[in-house]
């Protein structure tokens, strides 16, 4: 197990569009170790429910997420080379980001996302993600394209909050 360092804004890797992972590369020990380390890192970060590879300095299309990371850790997803087919039911909610430790931002995201991707073994997964999982997925997907949640902010005066202004623990993705 290894817990990796998280890159914070404005590290340039966070702005880099990530390349797809080849099937043969995915099964290499180095890539499997990276996946394991990303899962360990996500679970080691208090409040974290998702982590994208560029956040640990690897510009490849890989993200890990678990909407239940703070409870029973039963919804782990390893997502490689994701493709979104449709998005619907847009709604705003407050998000955190491990690469912006001081801020929370209200972002409008789809509550229903149809997508496909490869899992850690290279098998294709087709799934419809709903509600909280859909939000996490879209946040991490943005990271793979060099897009950050500050780019999704519509009105900074209304949508940006400093963590220090909030007392409760919040979500990090
Ligand atoms: Zn993030």
């Amino acid at each position: 197990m290894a817990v990796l360092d998280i890159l914070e804004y404005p590290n340039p890797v966070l702005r880099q569009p990530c390349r797809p992972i080849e099937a043969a590369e995915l099964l290499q020990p180095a890539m499997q170790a990276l996946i394991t380390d990303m899962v360990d890192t996500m679970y080691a970060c208090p409040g974290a429910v998702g982590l994208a590879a560029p956040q640990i300095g690897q510009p490849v299309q890989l993200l890990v997420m678990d909407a239940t990371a703070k409870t029973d850790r039963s919804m782990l997803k390893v997502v490689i080379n994701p493709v979104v087919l449709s998005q619907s039911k847009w709604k705003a909610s407050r998000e955190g980001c491990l690469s912006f430790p001081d801020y929370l931002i209200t972002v409008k995201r789809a509550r229903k996302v149809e997508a496909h991707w490869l899992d850690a073994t290279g098998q294709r997964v087709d799934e419809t993600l709903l509600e909280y999982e859909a939000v996490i997925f879209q946040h991490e997907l943005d990271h793979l394209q060099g897009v950050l949640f500050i780019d999704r902010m519509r009105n900074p005066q209304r949508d940006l909050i400093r963590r220090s202004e909030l007392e409760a623990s919040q979500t990090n993705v």
Side-chain angles (χ1 to χ4, degrees):
M1 147 155 188
V3 174
L4 307 167
D5 289 336
I6 309 268
L7 302 186
E8 293 183 9
Y9 181 81
N11 190 298
V13 177
L14 296 172
R15 283 302 194 185
Q16 202 171 321
C18 298
R19 66 169 178 83
I21 297 172
E22 303 289 334
E25 181 186 12
L26 174 57
L27 302 177
Q28 294 292 318
M31 188 59 70
Q32 294 293 312
L34 175 66
I35 293 168
T36 302
D37 288 349
M38 281 182 58
V39 172
D40 290 344
T41 301
M42 173 179 69
Y43 285 140
C45 293
V49 290
L51 182 66
Q55 291 182 283
I56 47 90
Q58 300 290 333
V60 294
Q61 291 184 23
L62 160 64
L63 65 91
V64 298
M65 55 183 276
D66 186 345
T68 58
K70 288 179 260 186
T71 54
D72 63 1
R73 299 183 176 181
S74 62
M75 295 174 76
L76 176 65
K77 285 183 165 62
V78 175
V79 174
I80 292 142
N81 302 347
V83 176
V84 171
L85 303 173
S86 74
Q87 292 170 282
S88 59
K89 298 185 181 174
W90 298 80
K91 190 179 162 193
S93 61
R94 193 177 286 166
E95 298 178 9
C97 179
L98 293 170
S99 298
F100 292 80
D102 298 334
Y103 295 98
L104 296 165
I105 295 179
T106 301
V107 182
K108 204 170 187 179
R109 307 262 190 206
R111 257 48 185 179
K112 182 177 179 183
V113 177
E114 283 182 278
H116 65 78
W117 60 84
L118 302 179
D119 68 13
T121 67
Q123 294 297 304
R124 176 172 161 147
V125 177
D126 284 80
E127 202 164 318
T128 299
L129 298 160
L130 298 173
E131 303 300 335
Y132 189 36
E133 269 209 301
V135 171
I136 299 166
F137 184 78
Q138 289 164 93
H139 179 112
E140 302 308 339
L141 200 71
D142 272 354
H143 275 299
L144 303 187
Q145 293 158 355
V147 174
L148 300 169
F149 72 165
I150 51 173
D151 306 328
R152 304 265 182 212
M153 186 164 54
R154 292 159 297 163
N155 177 342
Q157 291 202 319
R158 181 193 60 196
D159 297 341
L160 181 76
I161 296 182
R162 283 183 180 275
R163 259 180 211 280
S164 54
E165 293 168 12
L166 292 176
E167 48 187 21
S169 66
Q170 297 286 332
T171 297
N172 285 307
V173 288

